[in-house]
Each structure stands twice: as structure tokens, then as C-alpha cells.
Amino acid sequence: AKVTVGEVVVKGSYIEFRGMRFGGWSTTAEARGITFRAISSANMFIWSSQDIKVIGGDIGPGQGLDFDSQITTTVGSQQPPTNILIDGVRFHDWWRPAGTDFHTECLQAGSGVNVTIRNSRFERCATHDIFIRSWGQTNGGAHPIRNWVIENNVFGATLDGFFAMQLTEGADAQQPCEDALIRNNSFLQDIHVSCPAGGTRGIRVESNIQPSMKAFACGLGGSKWNYNVYGSGTPCGARDRIGNPRFANPAALDLRLSKGSAAIDRGNPKSFPARDYVGQKRPFGRAPDAGAYEKR
């Protein structure tokens, strides 16, 4: 059967939803061990929940709205979202109301501990594809940003924003982002990382492809950049490279690498996902490629 339901609010534990269309879904602080597999939903909200998996499916459209899908802490709670996996999800078509200055992105995060976003696709998002910023003491809750991995994703350019993704300063001064790894993503618009780096490993930005890099943005907040490929601008790390990634068809968000791409064999040989965006083994050749795709 083709199953379509309205808004779904999950307060229980150890439940898996498969192959349905939701008008929107949310998980509360009581929820634990929830899986959404091949769910198509208008929106999603992960609020102080634990052990949440979103596998496949899509989120959108959110056309003309003044809110966005979120990962954050419930009002007044000291329990941030913890152990969150988003894998193979398509986020699409989040537009802000015409003539407004609302922050409307495909996904916003105000807190989260042990969060992984991989193998996912972001297209036609208003101001950001992903906007990550600790909400600090907002709403009386705890809002840490800790142990994030963002890898093997494909990011389209925003509809009217400056950056595809931001990992930026928290609502409270000097709120750190602890142990974040942003690697092997393909961006059609630049990203901005300015959150103060905390934890034992800090913020590492490596083996990504983006259109350009400005010198002032290198190392903001103590972030470490290396093995990235930029279409133009300034290398940040010793092994960054300026060159044409030669995407197959960027207008269709087909960011596979073509022959002669500057990203081939340019990824970090000591740190890379075992498979690429479409599941091919990595590396293929002398070293892993930068970006989400491994060239065959």
C-alpha cells in the first residue's frame, strides 16, 4: 500500500518506520532508538532525542515557510540530541517567504552530540543547506556542538544565501564546537567555518571541493584545513590545491568527477570514508579523491 499520514510525534522507544509519506515528524526527549527508513516527509525535528537514525528518504518541500527542519535541544532541557545518524537523505526545496529576511535553511542545528550526516543531498535551499550554531543558553537548555562528522555529501548552491554551510559562533560568546570533521564533501557554493575549535581534535576541514577560498577564512576559530580543492582563491593547508574539479554536470547537481579533475588523488590518504557517495570503494588509484565521489 501507499501509506500517507499527517504529523507524527514520537515519544516512545525502539520503533522503526518504513516507506511512508509523513506531513512532518518530530522526536521528543522521551524518544530513543527510533529509525526512519525511506520516509518522505515535509519536515523533521529531532528534539533532545537519543539514538535516532534517518536512512534514505527525503525532507521537503518547505516552500514559503519561516522555519526549517532542526536538530536541537528541547526548551529547558539539559539533554541535547545524542547519537544521531542522517544517511542518504535528500533535503530539498526550502524557500523563505518572498520579501522577508527569515533564516530558512534545509537543516538547522542548535545542538547535538555524536551527530553524523553522510551520503546526503541538499538542493534548492534558501539561505543555507546546513546551518550549525550552538543556541547557547537560549530557552534555558544545554546546546553543545560535539563530535560531528559531515562526509560524502553533495551540496547545491543556495537560492539566496552566501554559504552552502556554516559552522559558526554560538549564541553565547566563545561557545566552542568540539571535535568536528568535515571531509569528502562536494560543494557548489563556499562554506564558512568560524566556530571556536574545542575538544582534543578541534575542527578539521579536509578533502572537500568548493568553488573558492578567501584568505581571511583560512583557520578561523582555530579550524584546520588541508587536502581541499578550490576552483579559485587561496590554499589554506599545505596540501590544498587550486584547480578545476571538472564536475560532470553541475547544473543538474551531478558532481561526479570527469577526466582531468584537479580533485583526483587529492584527498587525505590517511583519513577518508571507506565508500563514496554512491557506495563505491575508496580509494581507487594512488590516493583517495577529494569530494564526495571517487573517480573510476
Side-chain angles (χ1 to χ4, degrees), residues 3-105:
V3 179
T4 302
V5 297
E7 295 284 335
V8 175
V9 180
V10 184
K11 298 185 177 183
S13 298
Y14 308 110
I15 304 167
E16 179 163 332
F17 300 92
R18 298 180 187 173
M20 292 183 277
R21 172 71 190 178
F22 291 168
W25 64 258
S26 60
T27 58
T28 68
E30 300 92 337
R32 182 168 189 152
I34 310 300
T35 299
F36 298 88
R37 191 180 302 275
I39 298 294
S40 179
S41 181
N43 54 63
M44 55 162 266
F45 297 93
I46 300 175
W47 288 326
S48 291
S49 314
Q50 298 184 57
D51 305 320
I52 307 298
K53 295 179 181 180
V54 188
I55 311 295
D58 71 285
I59 303 295
Q63 300 176 359
L65 301 177
D66 60 353
F67 65 89
D68 31 46
S69 292
Q70 295 177 358
I71 303 172
T72 194
T73 303
T74 301
V75 174
S77 174
Q78 301 303 302
Q79 171 59 51
T82 303
N83 300 333
I84 310 300
L85 172 63
I86 296 174
D87 192 340
V89 180
R90 176 177 172 246
F91 292 82
H92 65 99
D93 297 294
W94 279 80
W95 307 344
R96 60 182 173 180
T100 70
D101 59 356
F102 291 129
H103 248 273
T104 303
E105 31 264 335

Side-chain angles (χ1 to χ4, degrees), residues 230-245:
Y230 316 113
S232 64
T234 302
C236 290
R239 294 177 176 82
D240 282 351
R241 184 180 183 184
I242 305 298
N244 188 345

Side-chain angles (χ1 to χ4, degrees), residues 158-182:
T158 62
L159 296 175
D160 52 9
F162 294 106
F163 302 106
M165 183 176 73
Q166 280 207 68
L167 180 62
T168 190
E169 299 91 343
D172 297 333
Q174 297 303 306
Q175 176 82 29
C177 298
E178 303 178 62
D179 299 326
L181 176 60
I182 303 168

Side-chain angles (χ1 to χ4, degrees), residues 146-159:
R146 184 182 309 127
N147 294 339
W148 280 64
V149 176
I150 300 174
E151 64 182 12
N152 270 354
N153 300 290
V154 172
F155 292 88
T158 62
L159 296 175

